[in-house]
Amino acid sequence: MHLTRFARLLLAGLIVLFAVMTPRSVSASQIVDPSTLNPPPPPQFNPVCKAVGSGTICTVEFVETNGPEPMGLICGTGANSVEVVSSDTRTVTGRRDYDENGDLTRRHFREVFVGTLTNPLTGAWLDFVRADTILHDLAVAGDVNTGTEAITGSSRVSRPQGGVVLVAAGRLVIDVSDGTLLFEAGQHPFDDYFGSGDTSALQPICDALSG
């Protein structure tokens, strides 16, 4: 099953501990040039890479903004339909593990999204917050298009003046090579809408934006 960018962005699950991402203690003499790794962590991730045991660990940390952009959620029908617009700020902290050959074996990071969902016709808007942890174990070292990705987190949509509109929470495991969903637990209204075509799954958002 293939997921849209926004569906992946809001895919829900329970937030797990991020202690495993804490950088290990190493000396300054063990710093590794990120460009020598396969694949190298993008420079905009602000990587700090250090030799640890028989491999290398790179810690990453960055903030990016997305939108405003149409999110694919259509509220209403016919001439009365409108596509909801999303905007968010994404904060990421994590690590990338490389083996003795400098090939990537695991990506493990925590991301938090804080943003809004807006009805562009009326200006009505809702707040949303999503926090999740993603663990990507590569099946082939160095090939980011292999392996499995486990996503565990939660998201909440609420009114600016208070009051929860929608909650999603659970865990997903995806085959990175083709997007196949291998495991699912919890409630995933965004996945139900974008992945399964259940138009009623996000109706609470449409109702809140039209009120």
Side-chain angles (χ1 to χ4, degrees), residues 98-137:
Y98 293 83
D99 63 17
E100 64 276 9
N101 298 316
D103 294 325
L104 181 67
T105 60
R106 167 178 283 190
R107 298 187 306 132
H108 194 183
F109 60 95
R110 175 182 172 86
E111 57 185 2
V112 177
F113 298 86
V114 178
T116 59
L117 306 180
T118 303
N119 180 331
L121 296 183
T122 66
W125 55 279
L126 301 171
D127 294 316
F128 80 80
V129 178
R130 175 197 171 198
D132 57 33
T133 297
I134 297 177
L135 177 61
H136 177 195
D137 285 312

Side-chain angles (χ1 to χ4, degrees), residues 29-157:
S29 63
Q30 294 176 298
I31 290 178
V32 174
D33 181 354
S35 67
T36 64
L37 302 172
N38 174 44
Q44 62 268 29
F45 288 7
N46 304 309
V48 176
C49 302
K50 298 179 180 180
V52 177
S54 60
T56 300
I57 289 178
C58 295
T59 58
V60 299
E61 183 174 359
F62 64 93
V63 178
E64 63 180 9
T65 58
N66 300 291
E69 61 185 1
M71 64 173 281
L73 169 58
I74 307 298
C75 294
T77 59
N80 296 319
S81 65
V82 61
E83 184 171 6
V84 177
V85 171
S86 69
S87 300
D88 68 77
T89 297
R90 177 186 180 220
T91 302
V92 177
T93 306
R95 61 183 266 181
R96 296 161 69 101
D97 295 355
Y98 293 83
D99 63 17
E100 64 276 9
N101 298 316
D103 294 325
L104 181 67
T105 60
R106 167 178 283 190
R107 298 187 306 132
H108 194 183
F109 60 95
R110 175 182 172 86
E111 57 185 2
V112 177
F113 298 86
V114 178
T116 59
L117 306 180
T118 303
N119 180 331
L121 296 183
T122 66
W125 55 279
L126 301 171
D127 294 316
F128 80 80
V129 178
R130 175 197 171 198
D132 57 33
T133 297
I134 297 177
L135 177 61
H136 177 195
D137 285 312
L138 284 65
V140 178
D143 187 349
V144 295
N145 296 314
T146 67
T148 59
E149 187 173 82
I151 305 170
T152 308
S154 65
S155 58
R156 182 175 65 179
V157 180

Side-chain angles (χ1 to χ4, degrees), residues 123-201:
W125 55 279
L126 301 171
D127 294 316
F128 80 80
V129 178
R130 175 197 171 198
D132 57 33
T133 297
I134 297 177
L135 177 61
H136 177 195
D137 285 312
L138 284 65
V140 178
D143 187 349
V144 295
N145 296 314
T146 67
T148 59
E149 187 173 82
I151 305 170
T152 308
S154 65
S155 58
R156 182 175 65 179
V157 180
S158 58
R159 299 177 186 275
Q161 66 273 26
V164 176
V165 173
L166 187 74
V167 173
R171 175 180 171 83
L172 298 167
V173 179
I174 299 168
D175 185 328
V176 175
S177 65
D178 59 11
T180 299
L181 181 63
L182 303 176
F183 174 82
E184 179 179 9
Q187 55 187 29
H188 306 281
F190 289 96
D191 184 34
D192 293 339
Y193 181 92
F194 292 103
S196 303
D198 181 359
T199 57
S200 67

